[in-house]
Amino acid sequence: HLHDPELLRGVTTLRKTGAKVVYDAHEDLPKQVLSKPYIPILFRGVVAALAGILERSMSRRLSGVVCATPIIANRFSMYIPNTVAVCNFPSLEDMPQPVSWDQKSDEVCYIGGIFKTRGAMEMVRAMDELSLVRLNLAGTFSPISLRQEVSAMSGWQQVNELGFLDRTGIRSVLSRSKVGLVLLHPTQSYTEALPVKLFEYMAAGLPVVASDFPILKDIVERHQCGFCVDPLDTEAITSAIRYLMEHPDEAAAMGLRGHLAVENQYSWQSQEEVLIQFYQNLLS
């Protein structure tokens, strides 16, 4: 079971041993290449096209493909029939149960790698307009110079910098926060992604403020569990957070609907059945 596209060049050799070989496509490789900053912009289109051609060529001898999203699965299924989508949803066993709203603080949270393209600047800038709200920022900065940039912003005074947290620390942050932020920028690799942090926030009973990408809007609006906004519009982000803080009953109801949606549809428990069935079919 191969998790990196670089390993696809070994498929033919592996198949000669009689092994079943599965590729785990957790990202859309050509679109990911388009957002690589170290590739000159003039050449990204050509490199992305070549990456797609090579991926297709080396994938044709695979026994099957496991994809992280239905969109990626649709692409692979056009030339590899044995393709299945297994989404990276959270395990309910790892998530805290929703906490009573009056036990929470006036805090919002972001948990994960801290990048510009994941809304680091916009989140801190929004804090400058929300004088009574604090941001629980859990994760590590990449690059480290980004920390110097955001810590120089006036909104940084309202940030609880928590660093990298283990599962116990994450549960604590989720339990005391009132809103979860998923403000990915509209890059090629993010607009069709299903970020696991979205479902972790929902599982913990937090209403979310998420990027207004179609794939995220479909989930958030269908389950009425938060707001989707332009992730580059600080005013829109601020307005959504302020509304949730000023309407606690509605915010709590959104959080509960999100929790129920994860329990019924977006948990790892539902996805592991798909993966196990995929293996059983392959080995039979």
Side-chain angles (χ1 to χ4, degrees), residues 23-74:
Y23 175 44
D24 197 305
H26 44 265
E27 293 175 308
D28 190 314
L29 181 61
K31 290 185 177 179
Q32 184 190 28
V33 168
L34 287 172
S35 63
K36 293 295 184 184
Y38 54 79
I39 301 175
I41 293 177
L42 287 175
F43 300 119
R44 286 181 196 172
V46 174
V47 176
L50 288 173
I53 292 170
L54 286 171
E55 185 182 54
R56 286 194 298 274
S57 175
M58 292 187 289
S59 296
R60 294 190 185 278
R61 286 190 52 76
L62 287 166
S63 309
V65 181
V66 174
C67 301
T69 70
I71 293 174
I72 299 174
N74 288 338

Side-chain angles (χ1 to χ4, degrees), residues 106-144:
D106 286 340
E107 298 175 350
V108 300
C109 70
Y110 170 85
I111 298 171
I114 305 170
F115 302 82
K116 275 189 178 180
T117 53
R118 295 186 184 180
M121 307 291 282
E122 289 78 14
M123 288 188 288
V124 175
R125 196 173 290 125
M127 290 301 100
D128 197 31
E129 302 295 327
L130 298 162
S131 58
L132 300 179
V133 178
R134 296 193 66 82
L135 168 64
N136 291 318
L137 194 60
T140 54
F141 285 90
S142 181
I144 192 62

Side-chain angles (χ1 to χ4, degrees), residues 16-277:
K16 286 179 179 177
T17 69
K20 305 283 187 180
V21 184
V22 175
Y23 175 44
D24 197 305
H26 44 265
E27 293 175 308
D28 190 314
L29 181 61
K31 290 185 177 179
Q32 184 190 28
V33 168
L34 287 172
S35 63
K36 293 295 184 184
Y38 54 79
I39 301 175
I41 293 177
L42 287 175
F43 300 119
R44 286 181 196 172
V46 174
V47 176
L50 288 173
I53 292 170
L54 286 171
E55 185 182 54
R56 286 194 298 274
S57 175
M58 292 187 289
S59 296
R60 294 190 185 278
R61 286 190 52 76
L62 287 166
S63 309
V65 181
V66 174
C67 301
T69 70
I71 293 174
I72 299 174
N74 288 338
R75 182 168 65 86
F76 273 95
S77 63
M78 291 189 290
Y79 54 95
I80 302 178
N82 191 24
T83 295
V84 64
V86 179
C87 300
N88 189 23
F89 296 152
S91 172
L92 294 175
E93 298 169 355
D94 293 335
M95 292 293 102
Q97 289 296 307
V99 173
S100 174
W101 209 253
D102 57 12
Q103 296 179 25
K104 291 177 173 287
S105 304
D106 286 340
E107 298 175 350
V108 300
C109 70
Y110 170 85
I111 298 171
I114 305 170
F115 302 82
K116 275 189 178 180
T117 53
R118 295 186 184 180
M121 307 291 282
E122 289 78 14
M123 288 188 288
V124 175
R125 196 173 290 125
M127 290 301 100
D128 197 31
E129 302 295 327
L130 298 162
S131 58
L132 300 179
V133 178
R134 296 193 66 82
L135 168 64
N136 291 318
L137 194 60
T140 54
F141 285 90
S142 181
I144 192 62
S145 59
L146 176 61
R147 186 191 180 280
Q148 296 176 325
E149 288 188 62
V150 296
S151 62
M153 300 167 65
S154 57
W156 184 254
Q157 302 302 316
Q158 292 158 241
V159 174
N160 299 324
E161 185 183 8
L162 305 175
F164 180 82
L165 298 178
D166 59 16
R167 297 307 304 180
T168 300
I170 290 173
R171 289 192 199 99
S172 175
V173 171
L174 293 173
S175 294
R176 72 174 193 257
S177 300
K178 289 184 176 179
V179 180
L181 304 178
V182 195
L183 299 170
L184 304 175
H185 285 192
T187 66
Q188 291 284 348
S189 57
Y190 286 156
T191 53
E192 296 179 352
L194 286 173
V196 67
K197 63 175 62 65
L198 171 72
F199 304 104
E200 289 179 335
Y201 298 151
M202 291 167 61
L206 275 65
V208 300
V209 177
S211 301
D212 57 353
F213 307 152
I215 192 170
L216 301 185
K217 285 185 71 174
D218 176 62
I219 294 169
V220 173
E221 293 182 355
R222 176 153 41 98
H223 298 289
Q224 299 179 10
C225 59
F227 296 109
C228 286
V229 299
D230 179 348
L232 304 179
D233 186 343
T234 304
E235 186 176 339
I237 295 167
T238 303
S239 295
I241 295 172
R242 182 180 290 115
Y243 183 91
L244 292 168
M245 291 294 174
E246 293 177 351
H247 298 81
D249 291 341
E250 190 172 346
M254 286 181 176
L256 180 58
R257 287 194 290 267
H259 172 76
L260 294 175
V262 171
E263 273 196 341
N264 296 327
Q265 189 172 347
Y266 303 113
S267 72
W268 171 246
Q269 281 70 12
S270 67
Q271 298 302 291
E272 68 179 353
E273 297 172 5
V274 177
L275 183 60
I276 290 171
Q277 186 62 55

